[in-house]
Amino acid sequence: MSHSTHGVTLAELYRARKRITGQVVRSPLVPSAALSRRFDAEVLLKLETCQPTGAFKLRGATNMIAALIERHGREALARGVTTASTGNHGRAVAFAAARLGVPATICLSTLVPSNKIATIEALGATVTRVGASQDQAFEEVARLVDEEGMTLIPPFDDPLIAAGQGTIGLELMEDAPQLDRVFVGLSGGGLLGGIGAAMKAIRPEVQVTGVSLSRGAAMWKSLEAGHPVAVEEAESLGDSLGGGIGLDNRCSFALVDEVMDDHYQVSEAAIAHAMVDMLENEKLLVEGAAAVGLAAIEEHGIDIRGQTVALIVSGNGVSLETLDRARHLVGR
């Protein structure tokens, strides 16, 4: 599949890094002694939890807003920006927009936890709750764009968003050039697609493994079907991986199809165990979506012996209520 299909080239990835430098943290890549012993491998944790917003989404949002200003001038965003999000992208857009003095309206479904809503509002953005799915929230976004002249900052399906997330892949290749495999949560595909595009361009033999929820895995079901399909969303500990990919998907479907080598789905119990494991053994408070790499290795008995493996610890937007649910599933 040609790179022109999705527009995420190595040159665009480096341009993205130049735009976000100084506004986004170069997140640490730290070895996990406990996991390395357990799996007889070199296990590295890419801590996107260290971003100012607590998640990787700040990379893509910052890159896109900066690129729009670069190309069209700041006045192009005078009427504000908008998006629909399961939480982390909304927080990232609100954060980036506030820095630039741009109004932001974030549309969220009723499935989004209240702690994520409060965080977005604290950044000065307007939050609108619409429908019971991300797709329904996007209907309000479309109205704001069409009727009020706002600018859409999509959560994943745009080359600028994917390139921003893909700067993680550039950092991984610089900090661990010997890397054999990376485990990435898979939802809309901007994160996995961007990381995969960067790593495959530099080290084609790197294995890119996607991990989805056991229910509502829109991208995986779409890849199986050969085209974007709609799936029913379900409440999950890994709520950040919920949502559809859009039936008119123009970037991330093709990108993931090109760069992902294999894929696993994980159960709620496996996510819960991984969340508790990360807290107890790594002293990291992470959301379910950030723990799915570990969940996949444990639940599916993936053999990574002798390999250098990176787990993308994508965000820390977890409420105490959700953590309690995870602990209850685990039995402690």
Side-chain angles (χ1 to χ4, degrees):
M1 188 173 291
S2 167
H3 280 286
S4 63
T5 306
H6 48 68
V8 184
T9 64
L10 188 58
E12 187 54 45
L13 285 156
Y14 280 112
R15 278 192 286 270
R17 177 153 76 176
K18 185 176 180 180
R19 291 188 193 106
I20 70 174
T21 296
Q23 299 192 63
V24 171
V25 170
R26 183 187 177 105
S27 59
L29 182 66
V30 300
S32 167
L35 295 179
S36 296
R37 284 194 302 271
R38 186 188 309 175
F39 299 119
D40 191 20
E42 183 181 8
V43 179
L44 308 173
L45 306 177
K46 183 63 169 167
L47 300 182
E48 286 297 295
T49 50
C50 293
Q51 295 297 344
T53 56
F56 74 94
K57 288 283 192 177
L58 187 60
R59 294 175 183 261
T62 300
N63 183 50
M64 184 163 188
I65 294 174
L68 290 173
I69 292 172
E70 178 183 292
R71 295 172 184 179
H72 308 294
R74 194 177 302 273
E75 63 277 4
L77 303 182
R79 296 195 176 185
V81 295
T82 185
T83 194
S85 168
T86 50
N88 287 329
H89 177 64
R91 185 177 178 185
V93 171
F95 186 93
R99 274 187 160 183
L100 295 169
V102 175
T105 297
I106 314 300
C107 301
L108 304 174
S109 81
T110 55
L111 288 179
V112 178
S114 58
N115 68 301
K116 293 188 176 183
I117 294 169
T119 302
I120 292 170
E121 289 178 331
L123 291 170
T126 299
V127 172
T128 301
R129 304 201 76 176
V130 183
S133 72
Q134 185 159 297
D135 288 341
Q136 290 176 345
F138 256 114
E139 293 175 7
E140 174 64 9
V141 170
R143 188 194 69 77
L144 292 173
V145 171
D146 292 341
E147 297 180 12
E148 301 188 24
M150 290 188 179
T151 299
L152 170 64
I153 308 296
F156 54 85
D157 191 29
D158 190 279
L160 288 168
I161 295 294
Q165 324 302 26
T167 57
I168 296 171
L170 298 179
E171 293 172 13
L172 285 171
M173 288 290 83
E174 290 165 354
D175 294 344
Q178 78 281 16
L179 201 63
D180 296 302
R181 190 172 189 175
V182 61
F183 286 82
V184 192
L186 178 64
S187 179
L191 178 63
L192 184 144
I195 290 174
M199 298 180 73
K200 293 287 189 181
I202 296 169
R203 182 176 160 87
E205 61 269 34
V206 170
Q207 186 171 353
V208 178
T209 299
V211 187
S212 299
L213 305 176
S214 59
R215 297 174 295 171
M219 180 62 80
W220 178 240
K221 294 300 181 185
S222 296
L223 291 169
E224 285 185 318
H227 58 85
V229 299
V231 298
E232 184 177 348
E233 286 185 59
E235 189 174 358
S236 172
L237 290 169
D239 57 88
S240 292
L241 296 182
I245 70 166
L247 297 181
D248 59 348
N249 188 287
R250 63 189 184 88
C251 168
S252 63
F253 175 79
L255 186 54
V256 171
D257 189 36
E258 179 181 300
V259 303
M260 188 170 72
D261 294 299
D262 59 347
H263 174 268
Y264 295 89
Q265 290 179 270
V266 289
S267 66
E268 291 298 294
I271 296 172
H273 276 91
M275 291 173 69
V276 173
D277 189 302
M278 294 286 271
L279 181 60
E280 292 185 342
N281 296 318
E282 307 297 331
K283 307 308 176 190
L284 293 172
L285 180 64
V286 303
E287 59 192 75
V292 293
L294 175 57
I297 295 170
E298 288 278 25
E299 184 169 30
H300 296 281
I302 301 171
D303 187 359
I304 59 171
R305 285 175 295 177
Q307 296 183 29
T308 300
V309 171
L311 307 182
I312 306 300
V313 185
S314 53
N316 61 13
V318 60
S319 67
L320 292 178
E321 178 185 4
T322 302
L323 182 62
D324 283 344
R325 271 172 43 217
R327 294 178 62 200
H328 178 75
L329 273 175
V330 174
R332 60 180 188 270

